[in-house]
């Protein structure tokens, strides 16, 4: 099925993990593949899309520059407004291994050369962490992440927002009306399934290996990185 844009994203599906499963997911992915929470979400979403849709849309991923800005030597005035950048990620082909998906998606998200947007997209927001503390502004029970900024829906057939609230992960699909109800349900189910598979895969993996994308500023090939790590052992 080819998705058509209507400008609306009325279909909503929510996936939730409790604090224990959230910790298992993110701790395992960080230990085995050195992934941050947003990268884990993108792997899961791109894999789910590849499994459910015959012609899956491209992912358009919001990446924070906060860590880069904190370490930058640039004058503060030149950094105003530079808080995020966008990366494009293709859906993982059905049948591809999780190990390959974890490695390839991380590489795409950390590359210095963004690829152009093609066709329809699903916008993926950076994972938000929000811990409730006594006296703080209350968080609505249905909070699922930041959504609805001006222009974000343009050219998108869907949006994926996520937040870790009090340690528990909550993810919400916002989908176009051109996505049938049964496919929306299958996407939500597939995303939940893949998150569990990632946890199990990472739990079973030994100490994680490193890829060139873990050291983007070093500009190393895979062979050069292997030689360097061998010298450190």
């Amino acid at each position: 099925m080819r998705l058509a844009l209507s400008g609306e994203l009325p279909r909503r599906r929510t996936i939730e993990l409790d604090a224990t499963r959230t910790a298992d997911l993110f701790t395992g992915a960080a230990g085995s593949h050195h992934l941050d929470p947003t990268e884990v979400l993108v792997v899961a979403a791109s894999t789910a899309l590849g499994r459910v849709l015959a012609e899956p849309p491209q992912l358009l991923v919001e990446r924070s520059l906060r860590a880069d800005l904190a370490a930058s030597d640039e004058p503060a005035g030149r950094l105003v407004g530079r808080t995020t950048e966008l990366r494009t990620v293709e859906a993982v082909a059905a049948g591809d291994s999780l190990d390959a998906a974890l490695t390839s998606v991380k590489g795409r998200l950390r590359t210095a050369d963004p690829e152009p947007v093609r066709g329809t997209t699903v916008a993926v927001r950076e994972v938000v962490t929000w811990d409730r503390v006594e006296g703080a502004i209350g968080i609505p029970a249905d909070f699922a992440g930041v959504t609805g900024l001006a222009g974000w829906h343009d050219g998108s057939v869907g949006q994926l927002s996520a937040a870790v609230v009090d340690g528990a992960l909550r993810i919400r699909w916002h989908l176009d009306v051109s996505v049938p109800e049964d496919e929306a349900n299958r996407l939500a189910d597939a995303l939940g399934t893949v998150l569990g598979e990632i946890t199990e895969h990472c739990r079973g993996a030994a100490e994680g290996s490193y890829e060139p994308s873990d050291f983007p500023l070093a500009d190393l090939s895979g062979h050069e990185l292997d030689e360097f790590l061998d010298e450190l052992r």
Side-chain angles (χ1 to χ4, degrees):
M1 170 186 175
R2 188 158 188 87
L3 302 174
L5 297 177
S6 70
E8 300 289 337
L9 299 175
R11 302 204 196 286
R12 297 185 177 186
R13 299 294 185 274
T14 301
I15 302 96
E16 298 186 10
L17 301 183
D18 62 26
T20 298
R21 289 189 295 164
T22 298
D24 288 344
L25 171 67
F26 290 147
T27 301
S32 64
H33 290 79
H34 317 293
L35 296 172
D36 66 35
T38 299
E39 290 167 342
V40 175
L41 177 64
V42 174
V43 172
S46 59
T47 301
L49 285 166
R51 290 182 182 182
V52 173
L53 300 181
E55 298 182 56
Q58 191 179 44
L59 296 177
L60 183 61
V61 185
E62 180 184 51
R63 295 294 284 161
S64 173
L65 294 174
R66 287 194 296 268
D68 293 340
L69 298 182
S72 175
D73 293 328
E74 292 187 59
R78 294 177 59 186
L79 302 179
V80 174
R82 289 178 52 208
T83 57
T84 61
E85 62 184 0
L86 297 177
R87 286 284 183 265
T88 53
V89 176
E90 300 295 334
V92 174
D96 279 7
S97 71
L98 268 181
D99 192 66
L102 290 162
T103 299
S104 64
V105 169
K106 179 176 69 173
R108 276 296 309 128
L109 290 175
R110 298 184 185 186
T111 181
D113 300 314
E115 294 183 358
V117 174
R118 58 150 187 83
T120 58
T121 64
V122 168
V124 182
R125 293 199 171 280
E126 182 186 18
V127 175
V128 177
T129 300
W130 199 341
D131 293 322
R132 281 180 278 216
V133 296
E134 187 175 354
I137 297 174
I139 303 171
D142 63 349
F143 178 77
V146 181
T147 62
L149 293 184
W152 185 257
H153 292 169
D154 294 347
S156 293
V157 73
Q159 178 178 275
L160 197 59
S161 299
V164 178
V165 181
D166 294 338
L169 177 64
R170 186 178 299 150
I171 306 169
R172 178 171 290 168
W173 285 105
H174 301 254
L175 298 168
D176 184 78
V177 292
S178 64
V179 181
E181 291 281 357
D182 66 319
E183 286 192 348
N185 293 334
R186 288 167 57 204
L187 276 173
D189 290 343
L191 181 59
T193 297
V194 174
L195 289 170
E197 292 175 0
I198 291 174
T199 300
E200 289 303 312
H201 172 80
C202 293
R203 180 183 291 138
E207 180 182 352
S209 60
Y210 287 94
E211 293 85 34
S213 59
D214 289 304
F215 310 97
L217 299 180
D219 194 25
L220 296 173
S221 67
H223 178 69
E224 290 170 334
L225 178 59
D226 289 340
E227 286 187 338
F228 175 73
L229 293 176
D230 286 341
E231 292 176 3
L232 297 179
R233 294 187 178 101

